[in-house]
Each structure stands twice: as structure tokens, then as C-alpha cells.
Amino acid sequence: MKVWTVSNQKGGVGKTTTAVTLGGLLSDWGLKVLLVDLDPHASLTSYFRINPDQAGGSAYNLFLDAMEGKAARTRSYIQPSTVEGLSVLPAATALASVERKGSGFDGMGLVISRALTAIDPDYDYVLIDSPPLLGVLMINALAACKRLIIPVQTEFLAMKGLERMVATLEMICKSRNKALDYTIVPTLFDRRTSASVQTLKALRETYGAHLWGSVIPIDTKLRDASQAGLPASTCFPGSRGVAAYSSLLDGLMRKEGLAEAKVASG
Ligand code: ADP
Ligand code: MG
């Protein structure tokens, strides 16, 4: 099971779209995929027409289980999606209260990591849609993953928060003695605007090898897909947006392969 987290402290940069579209593509390949929604706004959950506050349980219940000292009942909180091979661990609005309720409990930063380890054989890939706030939920999302995908909207203000975010990430990883590879993905790119072009240039200069070599363009089909409640590869397989995400997935897989080869060769 490989766990990837999609994260950025900014909203509206394409985090949820990235998690859903990559998840859809992986399941198209016949892989078993779990999408985990850790954002109390529950956009990913709503994308699949799952009510974030339904009785079936959610990622929030994993935190409750941990606080009550019970073993995590991860499998019972997971729901199928409309797409074969793609499952969802939904968010709940109550996730917003984890910060307050969880303080004082040991191990609250590792709840998701432990819950996923327990179901390791069930999935090939897990994609976590992380909340935009740096807090216990984001710490959980970071602690659980091997690879981090940071979507960045190609507009002037995008660089501002990014530097701080990357510094914070590096600090968290250092304190956990954990190597975490991250890939910055330029999103909502519009080559006709100088803001997009300039931002891409600045990203390239600052982040070099951590920046994915291509871009996700603005494509209204990605928005239409969310309206249809389906991953874009299912309803608009020939769209530019899906082509761009396929190429991103290829790039991420290649990085994954290289990392594995490195580990194998010591
Ligand atoms: P976040 O999760 O970071 O808040 P979303 O993935 O929800 O961002 O994207 C915000 C909005 O932009 C959504 O309405 C989504 O459909 C739309 N969107 C995301 N990526 C693109 C894109 N490449 N082209 C056009 N619309 C996009
Ligand atoms: Mg989102």
C-alpha cells in the first residue's frame, strides 16, 4: 500500500481535484484505491455525494476510537464510491473539533497512520486530501504518507504561503526523523496570462527538482466532473485536464520507482 498526501495551506488550489482525479486514474488501471478526506469542509466526501454527517462513520470516528482507547474500526467507516475499485473514507464536519478534543491524548498525530497500517493489504494506493490548516489533521496526513503532492495555483500570491509551508514540512519531517519526498504541481495554469507564466518561472527557479516538469491547465471539464460526481477520467477521458493528470501520475510513479530502487540497492 502506498500512501500519498495532497496538501497546501491554501484553499481553492486544486487539492481535492488532484486527489479525486489521480484516484480515478489509478482505479482505471485496475488498482484498489482509497481516498481519505481529512478536510472538515468535506469537499471530497461531497464530491462523491456522500453526506459528511451520515451515520456510517467517518475519519472522525477514528479519532474518537483513539481517544476512547479502542482499536480503530477503519474498515467499517469506509464506503464504496460510484466507481469500481475506488473507496472513500469520508470526512465529517466534526473533524474540526479534533484539535480541541484531542489535546491531552497521546499519539493523536498518528491516528490515521495507524488506522491505515491496519488495513494495508486492502489497497494498492491511498490518497489523503488534507485540510488547509496546519494542525493535528495535517500532521496526521503528513505522518501517514510517503509522498507529498503540493498543488500550487499559478497566480502571483501563490508563492507567498508556499515557502512557509515547505519550511514547516521540512521541520515536521526532521522532528519525526522521516524523509518525505514532495512534488509541487502547478495548477489552474493559463498560458495566456502573464501571472501564470511568471509564477511558473519563479516556481522553477525556487524549487527546481521538486517542481513537476509540466502543468495542470485550467479545464472546465474538471469542474464539470465534480458536478457529475465522478472522477474526470470516467466522464471526460479525452479532456486536457485528464491528459495532464495522467502525465502527472506517470511522473509520480517514476519517482516512486526510483525511490524503491534506491532503497533496494541500499
Ligand atoms: P481545494 O481542494 O484546494 O480547495 P479544489 O480542488 O476544490 O481546490 O478546486 C477549487 C475549484 O476549482 C473547484 O470548483 C474545482 O472544480 C476547480 N478546479 C480545480 N482545478 C481546476 C482546473 N485545473 N481547471 C478548472 N477548474 C479547476
Ligand atoms: Mg479541497
Side-chain angles (χ1 to χ4, degrees):
M1 182 168 90
K2 296 200 160 61
V3 185
W4 294 353
T5 286
V6 184
S7 189
N8 187 328
Q9 279 165 276
K10 276 197 147 175
V13 299
K15 290 186 294 295
T16 300
T17 305
T18 299
V20 171
T21 313
L22 291 177
L25 284 164
L26 286 163
S27 68
D28 291 345
W29 292 358
L31 296 167
K32 286 218 162 96
V33 182
L34 174 66
L35 295 173
V36 177
D37 192 355
L38 281 190
D39 188 346
H41 292 126
S43 314
L44 185 144
T45 302
S46 308
Y47 191 116
F48 288 101
R49 309 293 189 263
I50 298 169
N51 175 357
D53 296 310
Q54 35 70 36
S58 69
Y60 177 60
N61 293 78
L62 293 174
F63 290 94
L64 287 184
D65 288 347
M67 284 185 265
E68 289 164 11
K70 292 185 194 147
R73 289 167 290 178
T74 319
R75 284 194 184 98
S76 69
Y77 306 137
I78 292 173
Q79 303 203 11
S81 78
T82 39
V83 176
E84 163 113 37
L86 191 62
S87 305
V88 178
L89 175 60
T93 42
L95 271 175
S97 68
V98 167
E99 199 78 47
R100 179 174 44 83
K101 286 191 186 151
S103 66
F105 285 92
D106 273 346
M108 283 314 272
L110 290 173
V111 169
I112 297 298
S113 172
R114 287 181 179 142
L116 292 177
T117 306
I119 56 160
D120 185 281
D122 296 6
Y123 299 95
D124 299 303
Y125 277 85
V126 178
L127 297 180
I128 303 178
D129 189 8
S130 106
L133 288 172
L134 179 70
V136 70
L137 295 170
M138 196 189 279
I139 304 246
N140 267 275
L142 294 178
C145 76
K146 265 288 183 52
R147 181 166 301 282
L148 184 65
I149 301 164
I150 309 178
V152 175
Q153 185 173 358
T154 45
E155 47 127 56
F156 283 128
L157 292 175
M159 299 287 290
K160 277 225 172 285
L162 186 60
E163 236 160 281
R164 209 181 41 220
M165 161 114 195
V166 170
T168 311
L169 281 176
E170 283 173 346
M171 201 179 67
I172 291 173
C173 294
K174 216 178 212 169
S175 74
R176 294 183 171 270
N177 227 343
K178 175 177 165 173
L180 184 62
D181 194 3
Y182 67 91
T183 303
I184 295 173
V185 178
T187 57
L188 291 146
F189 185 76
D190 181 353
R191 67 188 158 82
R192 294 164 307 177
T193 67
S194 72
S196 270
V197 175
Q198 299 290 330
T199 307
L200 186 61
K201 191 164 163 261
L203 282 170
R204 225 165 247 152
E205 281 160 9
T206 316
Y207 295 100
H210 283 293
L211 186 75
W212 175 47
S214 188
V215 295
I216 305 293
I218 289 199
D219 181 356
T220 50
K221 288 283 184 276
L222 292 169
R223 202 166 286 149
D224 296 346
S226 76
Q227 240 152 53
L230 290 166
S233 60
T234 306
C235 47
F236 304 109
S239 62
R240 289 192 310 145
V242 169
Y245 274 109
S246 297
S247 142
L248 171 63
L249 186 54
D250 279 346
L252 293 169
M253 294 289 228
R254 208 165 308 131
K255 268 193 166 181
E256 196 77 52
L258 284 177
E260 267 169 19
K262 225 191 240 163
V263 171
S265 71

